[in-house]
Amino acid sequence: MNEIEKAKYIYENANILNAEVIRKEIKPIIEALEKQKSSGWISCKERLPEEYGCYLVAWRPVSLTAEDVAKNTGTVSHYYEIAEYDPDDEALWIGGIEQCKEYEIFAWQPLPEPFKGGENEDK
Protein backbone atom coordinates (compact mmCIF):
# COMPACT_ATOMS: atom_id res chain seq x y z
CA MET A 1 0.00 0.00 0.00
CA ASN A 2 1.53 3.33 -1.04
CA GLU A 3 1.29 6.52 1.02
CA ILE A 4 -1.77 7.85 -0.84
CA GLU A 5 -3.66 4.56 -0.48
CA LYS A 6 -2.76 4.46 3.22
CA ALA A 7 -4.04 8.03 3.72
CA LYS A 8 -7.32 7.15 1.97
CA TYR A 9 -7.73 4.06 4.14
CA ILE A 10 -7.17 6.05 7.33
CA TYR A 11 -9.60 8.75 6.18
CA GLU A 12 -12.29 6.23 5.23
CA ASN A 13 -11.91 4.27 8.47
CA ALA A 14 -11.35 7.14 10.90
CA ASN A 15 -14.52 6.28 12.82
CA ILE A 16 -13.21 2.79 13.73
CA LEU A 17 -9.53 3.66 14.24
CA ASN A 18 -8.44 5.19 17.51
CA ALA A 19 -6.59 8.52 17.63
CA GLU A 20 -3.24 6.94 18.57
CA VAL A 21 -3.32 4.67 15.49
CA ILE A 22 -4.26 7.58 13.26
CA ARG A 23 -1.40 9.75 14.61
CA LYS A 24 1.11 6.92 14.25
CA GLU A 25 0.08 6.13 10.69
CA ILE A 26 -0.47 9.66 9.42
CA LYS A 27 2.86 11.19 10.55
CA PRO A 28 5.03 9.40 7.92
CA ILE A 29 2.47 10.27 5.25
CA ILE A 30 2.61 13.95 6.17
CA GLU A 31 6.42 13.84 6.19
CA ALA A 32 6.49 12.18 2.75
CA LEU A 33 4.12 14.79 1.33
CA GLU A 34 6.13 17.65 2.86
CA LYS A 35 9.31 16.20 1.39
CA GLN A 36 7.68 15.96 -2.05
CA LYS A 37 6.36 19.51 -1.84
CA SER A 38 9.65 21.11 -0.83
CA SER A 39 12.24 18.77 -2.35
CA GLY A 40 13.04 17.63 1.18
CA TRP A 41 13.76 21.09 2.63
CA ILE A 42 12.03 22.06 5.87
CA SER A 43 11.86 25.70 6.89
CA CYS A 44 13.26 26.43 10.35
CA LYS A 45 10.25 28.71 10.83
CA GLU A 46 7.94 25.68 10.34
CA ARG A 47 9.82 23.32 12.63
CA LEU A 48 13.23 22.18 13.78
CA PRO A 49 14.57 18.60 13.87
CA GLU A 50 13.09 16.48 16.65
CA GLU A 51 16.35 14.84 17.65
CA TYR A 52 20.09 15.35 17.93
CA GLY A 53 22.07 14.71 14.76
CA CYS A 54 23.74 16.09 11.67
CA TYR A 55 21.61 17.70 8.99
CA LEU A 56 22.09 19.41 5.65
CA VAL A 57 21.32 23.10 6.15
CA ALA A 58 20.78 26.11 3.91
CA TRP A 59 22.30 29.28 5.34
CA ARG A 60 23.42 32.77 4.49
CA PRO A 61 25.53 35.42 6.24
CA VAL A 62 23.45 37.97 8.15
CA SER A 63 25.59 40.78 6.71
CA LEU A 64 24.81 39.91 3.07
CA THR A 65 21.57 40.14 1.14
CA ALA A 66 20.29 37.20 -0.86
CA GLU A 67 21.32 39.07 -4.02
CA ASP A 68 24.88 39.50 -2.73
CA VAL A 69 25.17 35.78 -2.02
CA ALA A 70 23.76 34.95 -5.47
CA LYS A 71 26.47 37.14 -7.02
CA ASN A 72 29.09 35.09 -5.14
CA THR A 73 27.65 31.68 -5.99
CA GLY A 74 26.30 32.52 -9.40
CA THR A 75 23.24 30.36 -8.80
CA VAL A 76 21.48 30.51 -5.44
CA SER A 77 20.94 33.03 -2.66
CA HIS A 78 22.42 30.85 0.06
CA TYR A 79 25.07 28.27 0.90
CA TYR A 80 24.83 24.62 1.99
CA GLU A 81 26.63 22.85 4.79
CA ILE A 82 26.26 19.91 7.14
CA ALA A 83 25.56 21.17 10.66
CA GLU A 84 25.08 19.47 14.01
CA TYR A 85 21.76 20.04 15.76
CA ASP A 86 21.29 19.62 19.51
CA PRO A 87 17.82 20.42 20.91
CA ASP A 88 19.33 20.51 24.42
CA ASP A 89 21.90 23.19 23.55
CA GLU A 90 20.86 26.84 23.86
CA ALA A 91 22.28 27.64 20.42
CA LEU A 92 20.49 24.62 18.84
CA TRP A 93 22.90 24.41 15.90
CA ILE A 94 26.30 23.66 17.44
CA GLY A 95 29.75 23.92 15.95
CA GLY A 96 28.69 26.81 13.76
CA ILE A 97 29.40 27.74 10.21
CA GLU A 98 33.16 28.22 10.04
CA GLN A 99 33.16 30.63 7.10
CA CYS A 100 31.07 33.26 8.85
CA LYS A 101 30.62 34.74 12.33
CA GLU A 102 26.98 35.78 11.99
CA TYR A 103 24.71 33.63 9.85
CA GLU A 104 21.13 32.49 9.57
CA ILE A 105 20.20 28.84 9.09
CA PHE A 106 16.77 29.00 7.49
CA ALA A 107 16.12 25.49 6.19
CA TRP A 108 17.28 21.93 6.86
CA GLN A 109 16.78 18.36 5.75
CA PRO A 110 17.94 14.94 6.91
CA LEU A 111 21.10 13.62 5.34
CA PRO A 112 20.63 10.98 2.63
CA GLU A 113 21.27 7.33 3.34
CA PRO A 114 25.02 6.53 3.39
CA PHE A 115 26.61 5.24 0.18
CA LYS A 116 26.87 1.47 0.38
CA GLY A 117 28.95 0.77 -2.72
CA GLY A 118 28.41 -1.88 -5.28
CA GLU A 119 30.30 -4.88 -6.55
CA ASN A 120 32.44 -2.73 -8.85
CA GLU A 121 33.20 -0.04 -6.28
CA ASP A 122 36.52 0.16 -4.42
CA LYS A 123 36.16 -0.77 -0.77
Side-chain angles (χ1 to χ4, degrees):
M1 184 180 310
N2 68 35
E3 299 300 322
I4 294 171
E5 291 167 341
K6 191 183 289 186
K8 285 181 183 178
Y9 174 82
I10 292 168
Y11 176 79
E12 291 165 357
N13 295 286
N15 60 337
I16 59 173
L17 297 172
N18 69 37
E20 185 62 32
V21 170
I22 291 172
R23 276 193 294 279
K24 180 182 172 194
E25 294 294 324
I26 209 81
K27 185 175 180 179
I29 296 168
I30 291 168
E31 288 172 353
L33 291 171
E34 284 176 340
K35 189 171 185 176
Q36 251 181 359
K37 181 179 86 174
S38 64
S39 301
W41 288 102
I42 301 163
S43 168
C44 290
K45 289 179 181 175
E46 282 182 35
R47 68 182 167 93
L48 292 169
E50 294 178 4
E51 57 189 45
Y52 173 86
C54 290
Y55 297 88
L56 181 60
V57 298
W59 68 277
R60 81 174 133 257
V62 172
S63 61
L64 296 177
T65 66
E67 293 79 24
D68 291 336
V69 177
K71 287 177 192 172
N72 291 339
T73 65
T75 55
V76 293
S77 61
H78 51 271
Y79 301 101
Y80 300 103
E81 189 154 335
I82 295 173
E84 190 175 2
Y85 177 80
D86 185 352
D88 297 327
D89 189 286
E90 188 177 314
L92 297 178
W93 298 99
I94 57 178
I97 306 294
E98 292 182 16
Q99 302 90 326
C100 184
K101 282 188 177 192
E102 292 186 39
Y103 56 88
E104 170 194 19
I105 293 176
F106 55 89
W108 62 276
Q109 66 175 288
L111 294 176
E113 291 296 317
F115 176 72
K116 295 190 169 68
E119 289 179 21
N120 298 328
E121 299 292 327
D122 292 336
K123 295 183 181 183

Short mmCIF file of all heavy atoms in Angstrom, two decimals, residues 31-66:
data_model
loop_
_atom_site.label_atom_id
_atom_site.label_comp_id
_atom_site.label_asym_id
_atom_site.label_seq_id
_atom_site.Cartn_x
_atom_site.Cartn_y
_atom_site.Cartn_z
N GLU A 31 5.00 13.58 6.45
CA GLU A 31 6.42 13.84 6.19
C GLU A 31 6.77 13.57 4.73
O GLU A 31 7.52 14.33 4.12
CB GLU A 31 7.28 13.00 7.13
CG GLU A 31 7.24 13.48 8.56
CD GLU A 31 7.94 12.55 9.53
OE1 GLU A 31 8.37 11.44 9.14
OE2 GLU A 31 8.06 12.95 10.71
N ALA A 32 6.22 12.50 4.16
CA ALA A 32 6.49 12.18 2.75
C ALA A 32 5.93 13.25 1.83
O ALA A 32 6.57 13.66 0.86
CB ALA A 32 5.90 10.81 2.41
N LEU A 33 4.73 13.74 2.15
CA LEU A 33 4.12 14.79 1.33
C LEU A 33 4.89 16.11 1.45
O LEU A 33 5.09 16.80 0.46
CB LEU A 33 2.65 14.99 1.72
CG LEU A 33 1.73 13.82 1.35
CD1 LEU A 33 0.36 14.02 1.97
CD2 LEU A 33 1.64 13.66 -0.16
N GLU A 34 5.33 16.44 2.68
CA GLU A 34 6.13 17.65 2.86
C GLU A 34 7.43 17.57 2.07
O GLU A 34 7.87 18.53 1.46
CB GLU A 34 6.45 17.87 4.34
CG GLU A 34 5.30 18.40 5.14
CD GLU A 34 5.64 18.52 6.63
OE1 GLU A 34 6.58 17.86 7.11
OE2 GLU A 34 4.93 19.28 7.30
N LYS A 35 8.05 16.40 2.09
CA LYS A 35 9.31 16.20 1.39
C LYS A 35 9.10 16.37 -0.12
O LYS A 35 9.89 17.01 -0.79
CB LYS A 35 9.88 14.82 1.70
CG LYS A 35 11.26 14.62 1.19
CD LYS A 35 11.86 13.34 1.70
CE LYS A 35 13.30 13.22 1.26
NZ LYS A 35 13.96 12.05 1.79
N GLN A 36 8.00 15.81 -0.64
CA GLN A 36 7.68 15.96 -2.05
C GLN A 36 7.48 17.42 -2.41
O GLN A 36 7.98 17.90 -3.41
CB GLN A 36 6.38 15.21 -2.36
CG GLN A 36 6.53 13.99 -3.16
CD GLN A 36 5.18 13.37 -3.43
OE1 GLN A 36 4.13 13.84 -3.01
NE2 GLN A 36 5.22 12.27 -4.13
N LYS A 37 6.73 18.12 -1.58
CA LYS A 37 6.36 19.51 -1.84
C LYS A 37 7.58 20.43 -1.86
O LYS A 37 7.66 21.35 -2.65
CB LYS A 37 5.36 19.97 -0.77
CG LYS A 37 4.88 21.39 -0.94
CD LYS A 37 3.89 21.74 0.14
CE LYS A 37 4.64 22.22 1.37
NZ LYS A 37 3.82 22.71 2.43
N SER A 38 8.54 20.18 -0.99
CA SER A 38 9.65 21.11 -0.83
C SER A 38 11.00 20.52 -1.22
O SER A 38 12.03 21.04 -0.82
CB SER A 38 9.72 21.56 0.63
OG SER A 38 10.00 20.43 1.44
N SER A 39 11.00 19.46 -1.97
CA SER A 39 12.24 18.77 -2.35
C SER A 39 13.04 18.34 -1.14
O SER A 39 14.26 18.27 -1.17
CB SER A 39 13.09 19.65 -3.26
OG SER A 39 12.38 20.00 -4.41
N GLY A 40 12.37 18.10 -0.03
CA GLY A 40 13.04 17.63 1.18
C GLY A 40 13.43 18.71 2.16
O GLY A 40 13.80 18.43 3.29
N TRP A 41 13.37 20.00 1.75
CA TRP A 41 13.76 21.09 2.63
C TRP A 41 12.63 21.44 3.58
O TRP A 41 11.47 21.51 3.20
CB TRP A 41 14.15 22.33 1.83
CG TRP A 41 15.45 22.13 1.14
CD1 TRP A 41 15.63 21.84 -0.19
CD2 TRP A 41 16.75 22.17 1.72
NE1 TRP A 41 16.97 21.70 -0.45
CE2 TRP A 41 17.68 21.89 0.70
CE3 TRP A 41 17.21 22.40 3.01
CZ2 TRP A 41 19.05 21.86 0.94
CZ3 TRP A 41 18.58 22.36 3.24
CH2 TRP A 41 19.47 22.10 2.21
N ILE A 42 12.99 21.68 4.84
CA ILE A 42 12.03 22.06 5.87
C ILE A 42 12.47 23.42 6.41
O ILE A 42 13.61 23.59 6.83
CB ILE A 42 11.99 21.02 7.00
CG1 ILE A 42 11.61 19.67 6.43
CG2 ILE A 42 11.05 21.46 8.11
CD1 ILE A 42 11.91 18.50 7.33
N SER A 43 11.56 24.37 6.39
CA SER A 43 11.86 25.70 6.89
C SER A 43 12.03 25.66 8.40
O SER A 43 11.25 25.03 9.11
CB SER A 43 10.72 26.66 6.54
OG SER A 43 10.86 27.87 7.24
N CYS A 44 13.05 26.35 8.90
CA CYS A 44 13.26 26.43 10.35
C CYS A 44 12.11 27.18 11.02
O CYS A 44 11.87 27.00 12.21
CB CYS A 44 14.60 27.11 10.67
SG CYS A 44 16.03 26.12 10.23
N LYS A 45 11.41 28.01 10.27
CA LYS A 45 10.25 28.71 10.83
C LYS A 45 9.09 27.73 11.05
O LYS A 45 8.29 27.91 11.95
CB LYS A 45 9.81 29.84 9.91
CG LYS A 45 10.78 31.00 9.90
CD LYS A 45 10.32 32.09 8.97
CE LYS A 45 11.34 33.23 8.95
NZ LYS A 45 11.00 34.26 7.99
N GLU A 46 9.00 26.68 10.19
CA GLU A 46 7.94 25.68 10.34
C GLU A 46 8.23 24.77 11.53
O GLU A 46 7.39 24.55 12.37
CB GLU A 46 7.83 24.82 9.08
CG GLU A 46 7.11 25.47 7.95
CD GLU A 46 7.00 24.54 6.76
OE1 GLU A 46 6.86 23.30 6.95
OE2 GLU A 46 7.06 25.04 5.63
N ARG A 47 9.43 24.20 11.54
CA ARG A 47 9.82 23.32 12.63
C ARG A 47 11.30 23.01 12.55
O ARG A 47 11.93 23.18 11.52
CB ARG A 47 9.00 22.02 12.64
CG ARG A 47 9.26 21.09 11.49
CD ARG A 47 8.34 19.87 11.61
NE ARG A 47 8.33 19.11 10.38
CZ ARG A 47 9.11 18.08 10.12
NH1 ARG A 47 9.98 17.67 11.02
NH2 ARG A 47 9.04 17.43 8.99
N LEU A 48 11.83 22.58 13.69
CA LEU A 48 13.23 22.18 13.78
C LEU A 48 13.29 20.66 13.90
O LEU A 48 12.27 20.01 14.17
CB LEU A 48 13.88 22.84 15.00
CG LEU A 48 14.04 24.35 14.88
CD1 LEU A 48 14.43 24.95 16.22
CD2 LEU A 48 15.07 24.71 13.81
N PRO A 49 14.47 20.06 13.71
CA PRO A 49 14.57 18.60 13.87
C PRO A 49 14.09 18.18 15.27
O PRO A 49 14.19 18.96 16.23
CB PRO A 49 16.07 18.33 13.70
CG PRO A 49 16.58 19.48 12.92
CD PRO A 49 15.76 20.66 13.34
N GLU A 50 13.58 16.98 15.37
CA GLU A 50 13.09 16.48 16.65
C GLU A 50 14.19 15.88 17.51
O GLU A 50 14.04 15.76 18.71
CB GLU A 50 11.99 15.45 16.42
CG GLU A 50 10.74 16.04 15.81
CD GLU A 50 9.68 15.01 15.55
OE1 GLU A 50 9.86 13.82 15.91
OE2 GLU A 50 8.65 15.39 14.97
N GLU A 51 15.30 15.51 16.88
CA GLU A 51 16.35 14.84 17.65
C GLU A 51 17.74 15.30 17.25
O GLU A 51 17.94 15.87 16.18
CB GLU A 51 16.23 13.32 17.53
CG GLU A 51 16.30 12.82 16.11
CD GLU A 51 15.96 11.35 16.01
OE1 GLU A 51 14.99 10.91 16.63
OE2 GLU A 51 16.70 10.64 15.29
N TYR A 52 18.69 15.03 18.14
CA TYR A 52 20.09 15.35 17.93
C TYR A 52 20.59 14.65 16.67
O TYR A 52 20.22 13.52 16.37
CB TYR A 52 20.91 14.88 19.14
CG TYR A 52 22.39 15.02 18.93
CD1 TYR A 52 23.04 16.20 19.22
CD2 TYR A 52 23.13 13.96 18.44
CE1 TYR A 52 24.40 16.34 19.02
CE2 TYR A 52 24.49 14.08 18.22
CZ TYR A 52 25.12 15.27 18.51
OH TYR A 52 26.46 15.40 18.30
N GLY A 53 21.45 15.33 15.91
CA GLY A 53 22.07 14.71 14.76
C GLY A 53 22.63 15.73 13.80
O GLY A 53 22.58 16.94 14.04
N CYS A 54 23.20 15.23 12.71
CA CYS A 54 23.74 16.09 11.67
C CYS A 54 22.73 16.21 10.54
O CYS A 54 22.09 15.22 10.16
CB CYS A 54 25.05 15.51 11.13
SG CYS A 54 26.39 15.63 12.33
N TYR A 55 22.59 17.41 10.02
CA TYR A 55 21.61 17.70 8.99
C TYR A 55 22.22 18.58 7.92
O TYR A 55 23.16 19.34 8.19
CB TYR A 55 20.40 18.43 9.60
CG TYR A 55 19.67 17.59 10.62
CD1 TYR A 55 20.07 17.59 11.95
CD2 TYR A 55 18.62 16.78 10.24
CE1 TYR A 55 19.42 16.81 12.89
CE2 TYR A 55 17.96 16.00 11.18
CZ TYR A 55 18.37 16.01 12.49
OH TYR A 55 17.73 15.23 13.43
N LEU A 56 21.70 18.50 6.71
CA LEU A 56 22.09 19.41 5.65
C LEU A 56 21.30 20.69 5.86
O LEU A 56 20.08 20.65 6.03
CB LEU A 56 21.76 18.80 4.28
CG LEU A 56 22.14 19.63 3.07
CD1 LEU A 56 23.63 19.89 3.01
CD2 LEU A 56 21.68 18.93 1.79
N VAL A 57 21.99 21.83 5.90
CA VAL A 57 21.32 23.10 6.15
C VAL A 57 21.58 24.08 5.01
O VAL A 57 22.60 24.01 4.32
CB VAL A 57 21.77 23.74 7.49
CG1 VAL A 57 21.41 22.85 8.66
CG2 VAL A 57 23.25 24.08 7.50
N ALA A 58 20.63 24.98 4.82
CA ALA A 58 20.78 26.11 3.91
C ALA A 58 20.97 27.33 4.79
O ALA A 58 20.21 27.54 5.74
CB ALA A 58 19.54 26.24 3.03
N TRP A 59 21.98 28.12 4.49
CA TRP A 59 22.30 29.28 5.34
C TRP A 59 22.82 30.42 4.51
O TRP A 59 23.22 30.25 3.37
CB TRP A 59 23.33 28.90 6.41
CG TRP A 59 24.69 28.59 5.86
CD1 TRP A 59 25.12 27.41 5.33
CD2 TRP A 59 25.80 29.48 5.77
NE1 TRP A 59 26.43 27.51 4.94
CE2 TRP A 59 26.86 28.78 5.19
CE3 TRP A 59 26.00 30.82 6.13
CZ2 TRP A 59 28.11 29.35 4.95
CZ3 TRP A 59 27.23 31.39 5.90
CH2 TRP A 59 28.28 30.65 5.32
N ARG A 60 22.80 31.61 5.12
CA ARG A 60 23.42 32.77 4.49
C ARG A 60 23.94 33.70 5.58
O ARG A 60 23.39 33.74 6.68
CB ARG A 60 22.47 33.46 3.53
CG ARG A 60 21.49 34.39 4.10
CD ARG A 60 20.70 35.13 3.00
NE ARG A 60 19.29 35.08 3.31
CZ ARG A 60 18.41 34.29 2.73
NH1 ARG A 60 18.77 33.48 1.79
NH2 ARG A 60 17.16 34.31 3.09
N PRO A 61 25.00 34.45 5.28
CA PRO A 61 25.53 35.42 6.24
C PRO A 61 24.49 36.50 6.52
O PRO A 61 23.80 36.96 5.61
CB PRO A 61 26.75 36.02 5.54
CG PRO A 61 27.10 35.05 4.46
CD PRO A 61 25.81 34.40 4.06
N VAL A 62 24.39 36.92 7.76
CA VAL A 62 23.45 37.97 8.15
C VAL A 62 23.82 39.29 7.47
O VAL A 62 22.96 40.08 7.10
CB VAL A 62 23.41 38.13 9.69
CG1 VAL A 62 22.61 39.34 10.11
CG2 VAL A 62 22.87 36.86 10.32
N SER A 63 25.12 39.50 7.27
CA SER A 63 25.59 40.78 6.71
C SER A 63 25.39 40.92 5.21
O SER A 63 25.60 41.99 4.66
CB SER A 63 27.08 40.96 7.04
OG SER A 63 27.81 39.90 6.45
N LEU A 64 24.99 39.85 4.52
CA LEU A 64 24.81 39.91 3.07
C LEU A 64 23.34 39.71 2.71
O LEU A 64 22.63 38.94 3.35
CB LEU A 64 25.64 38.82 2.38
CG LEU A 64 27.14 38.92 2.50
CD1 LEU A 64 27.80 37.72 1.82
CD2 LEU A 64 27.67 40.21 1.88
N THR A 65 22.92 40.37 1.65
CA THR A 65 21.57 40.14 1.14
C THR A 65 21.57 38.88 0.29
O THR A 65 22.64 38.39 -0.13
CB THR A 65 21.09 41.32 0.27
OG1 THR A 65 21.92 41.37 -0.91
CG2 THR A 65 21.16 42.64 1.03
N ALA A 66 20.40 38.38 0.00
CA ALA A 66 20.29 37.20 -0.86
C ALA A 66 20.91 37.48 -2.23
O ALA A 66 21.54 36.60 -2.83
CB ALA A 66 18.82 36.81 -1.00
#
